[in-house]
């Protein structure tokens, strides 16, 4: 086996700020602990939480690397004590609590998954963060069932493109909001039954019209702010709203009478701070219920742009522009 280097290139920052604070740095190659894998990273996904971390608003959980990056794909080059499922040379994709923007990263074997058959490493690197997030929020917390109606805001984001495909694959009627006719067309191409241009249409009225006045059973919202009241209006009786982010701010003046009168459930979650065991549970469900869909080609990651690791700042600029449709990845 080729000897591993002592140092690696990673992307870090010395102080919060704009994309230009992201710089290539030399860091020690991490060592895998008990149950962990050391992965030679080929691809790292770029996600909104990375931007929030760069801005100083989303610190890594205790014990996690301060290097940004929450999802990777690559080849295992070393094993920690007690690893049983994988061997050196196996290719995996993985959810990490930090450290993805680097040549090497460690992950617990229970939070790694094999590459779905037929997918490239690049495609696999765009899977973990969005698929873990959508599965836990739409299906575990949101309880989406076949025959129900589902609306996702930000339909052309990495989360949105994943949610559209998975909800459709599991038999839901899918509504998606997006900010242009081009993006709405992309949502329909991915399987959305109804795509709503929020700049020219009232998504509440459109949701009611699409459901015969009933409203939607489940809303996945990453916007927050004034969308909270409007989600309550758009929801059906006994509907559910799952909150995963607050792009328009975490505070709003809300009329909670509708929550009571319509018997709504409003919940939310974060993924990064969860324990290895909790993430492992999500991974097992994904492998059993979703990985076959990827192998069959019924779902597929949508990759909008690729940047070399050294151009992480450019990747963040694109993310903040909201011009992308699907995922942005760093190739290493």
């Amino acid at each position: 086996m080729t000897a591993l280097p002592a140092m690696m290139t990673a992307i870090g920052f010395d102080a919060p700020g704009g994309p230009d604070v992201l710089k290539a740095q030399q860091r020690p190659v991490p060592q895998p602990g008990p149950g962990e894998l050391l992965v030679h990273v080929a691809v790292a996904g770029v996600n909104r939480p990375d931007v929030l971390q760069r801005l100083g608003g989303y610190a890594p959980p205790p014990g996690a690397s301060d290097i940004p990056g929450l999802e990777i794909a690559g080849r295992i080059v070393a094993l920690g004590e007690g690893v049983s499922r994988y061997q050196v040379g196996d290719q995996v994709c993985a959810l990490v609590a930090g450290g993805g923007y680097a040549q090497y990263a460690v992950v617990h074997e229970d939070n790694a998954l094999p590459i779905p058959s037929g997918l490239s490493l690049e495609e696999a690197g765009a899977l973990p963060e969005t698929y873990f997030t959508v599965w836990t929020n739409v299906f575990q917390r949101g309880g989406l069932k076949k025959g129900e109606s589902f609306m996702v805001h930000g339909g052309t984001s990495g989360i949105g493109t994943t949610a559209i495909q998975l909800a459709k694959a599991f038999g839901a009627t899918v509504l998606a909001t997006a900010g242009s006719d081009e993006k709405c067309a992309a949502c329909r191409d991915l399987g959305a039954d109804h795509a709503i241009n929020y700049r020219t249409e009232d998504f509440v009225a459109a949701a009611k019209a699409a459901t015969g006045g009933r409203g939607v059973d489940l809303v996945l919202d990453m916007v927050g702010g004034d969308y909270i009241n409007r989600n309550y209006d758009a929801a059906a009786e006994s509907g559910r709203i799952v909150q995963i982010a607050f792009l328009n701010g975490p505070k709003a003046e809300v009329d909670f009478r509708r929550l009571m009168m319509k018997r709504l459930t409003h919940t939310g979650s974060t993924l990064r701070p969860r324990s290895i065991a909790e993430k492992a549970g999500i991974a097992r469900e994904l492998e059993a219920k979703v990985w076959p869909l990827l192998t069959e080609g019924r779902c597929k990651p949508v990759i909008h742009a690729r940047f070399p690791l050294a151009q992480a700042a450019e990747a963040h600029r694109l993310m903040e522009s909201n011009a992308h449709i699907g995922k942005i990845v760093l190739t290493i």
Side-chain angles (χ1 to χ4, degrees), residues 180-265:
S180 71
D181 291 342
E182 176 195 6
K183 288 187 173 184
C184 284
C187 291
R188 287 189 289 269
D189 288 344
L190 289 169
D193 299 282
H194 306 276
I196 304 159
N197 185 338
Y198 64 79
R199 298 187 191 279
T200 59
E201 301 176 75
D202 175 5
F203 75 75
V204 175
K208 292 286 185 67
T211 55
R214 182 175 173 274
V216 292
D217 295 300
L218 176 64
V219 179
L220 182 66
D221 183 31
M222 60 192 78
V223 181
D226 65 344
Y227 270 41
I228 295 175
N229 275 309
R230 298 169 72 193
N231 288 335
Y232 288 4
D233 287 339
E237 288 190 0
S238 299
R240 293 94 67 198
I241 299 97
V242 182
Q243 202 76 43
I244 59 169
F246 296 99
L247 296 179
N248 278 4
K251 297 180 181 180
E253 186 173 324
V254 180
D255 184 349
F256 285 110
R257 288 176 296 182
R258 281 167 297 177
L259 188 81
M260 297 167 63
M261 297 300 293
K262 296 174 79 170
R263 301 180 299 282
L264 304 177
T265 299

Side-chain angles (χ1 to χ4, degrees), residues 12 27 39 66 73 85 91 95-96 114 146 165-166 201 204 207 209 233 266 321:
R27 297 284 193 98
V39 178
D66 66 332
R85 178 173 186 183
Q91 292 186 337
L95 187 73
V96 294
K146 183 178 180 179
Q165 293 180 76
L166 282 182
E201 301 176 75
V204 175
D233 287 339
H266 190 174
S321 76

Side-chain angles (χ1 to χ4, degrees), residues 35-39 74 76-80 82-94 107-115 283 287 291:
E36 291 183 335
L37 316 171
L38 178 63
V39 178
I76 298 170
V77 293
L79 306 175
V83 169
S84 59
R85 178 173 186 183
Y86 297 104
Q87 297 179 351
V88 169
D90 289 346
Q91 292 186 337
V92 294
C93 58
V107 62
H108 195 280
E109 68 168 338
D110 291 342
N111 293 170
L113 287 162
I115 307 297
E287 188 170 5
W291 257 224

Side-chain angles (χ1 to χ4, degrees), residues 40-315:
H40 188 193
V41 180
V43 177
V46 177
N47 295 284
R48 287 281 175 186
D50 306 341
V51 174
L52 292 177
Q53 179 177 336
R54 191 204 76 222
L55 292 169
Y58 195 31
S65 171
D66 66 332
I67 298 168
L70 302 177
E71 61 183 347
I72 59 169
R75 180 175 57 88
I76 298 170
V77 293
L79 306 175
E81 183 182 353
V83 169
S84 59
R85 178 173 186 183
Y86 297 104
Q87 297 179 351
V88 169
D90 289 346
Q91 292 186 337
V92 294
C93 58
L95 187 73
V96 294
Y101 292 11
Q103 290 178 306
Y104 295 88
V106 292
V107 62
H108 195 280
E109 68 168 338
D110 291 342
N111 293 170
L113 287 162
I115 307 297
S117 178
L119 265 64
S120 67
L121 269 175
E122 183 178 273
E123 291 171 320
L127 292 176
E129 173 69 11
T130 49
Y131 275 77
F132 273 72
T133 298
V134 170
W135 186 257
T136 186
N137 287 289
V138 174
F139 296 93
Q140 291 183 334
R141 295 192 74 79
L144 184 65
K145 300 177 182 64
K146 183 178 180 179
E148 289 191 319
S149 55
F150 166 68
M151 181 165 66
V152 56
H153 294 303
T156 54
S157 65
I159 295 292
T161 55
T162 300
I164 289 169
Q165 293 180 76
L166 282 182
K168 193 65 181 175
F170 282 94
T173 297
V174 179
L175 296 78
T177 67
S180 71
D181 291 342
E182 176 195 6
K183 288 187 173 184
C184 284
C187 291
R188 287 189 289 269
D189 288 344
L190 289 169
D193 299 282
H194 306 276
I196 304 159
N197 185 338
Y198 64 79
R199 298 187 191 279
T200 59
E201 301 176 75
D202 175 5
F203 75 75
V204 175
K208 292 286 185 67
T211 55
R214 182 175 173 274
V216 292
D217 295 300
L218 176 64
V219 179
L220 182 66
D221 183 31
M222 60 192 78
V223 181
D226 65 344
Y227 270 41
I228 295 175
N229 275 309
R230 298 169 72 193
N231 288 335
Y232 288 4
D233 287 339
E237 288 190 0
S238 299
R240 293 94 67 198
I241 299 97
V242 182
Q243 202 76 43
I244 59 169
F246 296 99
L247 296 179
N248 278 4
K251 297 180 181 180
E253 186 173 324
V254 180
D255 184 349
F256 285 110
R257 288 176 296 182
R258 281 167 297 177
L259 188 81
M260 297 167 63
M261 297 300 293
K262 296 174 79 170
R263 301 180 299 282
L264 304 177
T265 299
H266 190 174
T267 185
S269 75
T270 57
L271 180 61
R272 188 179 192 182
R274 293 194 191 190
S275 68
I276 289 170
E278 287 179 290
K279 293 174 184 176
I282 302 169
R284 286 192 293 269
E285 290 195 19
L286 284 172
E287 188 170 5
K289 299 177 181 180
V290 176
W291 257 224
L293 300 177
L294 290 160
T295 297
E296 295 164 11
R298 294 174 60 191
C299 296
K300 192 170 184 178
V302 178
I303 298 179
H304 179 90
R306 305 149 182 85
F307 293 89
L309 180 64
Q311 294 180 15
E314 293 302 318

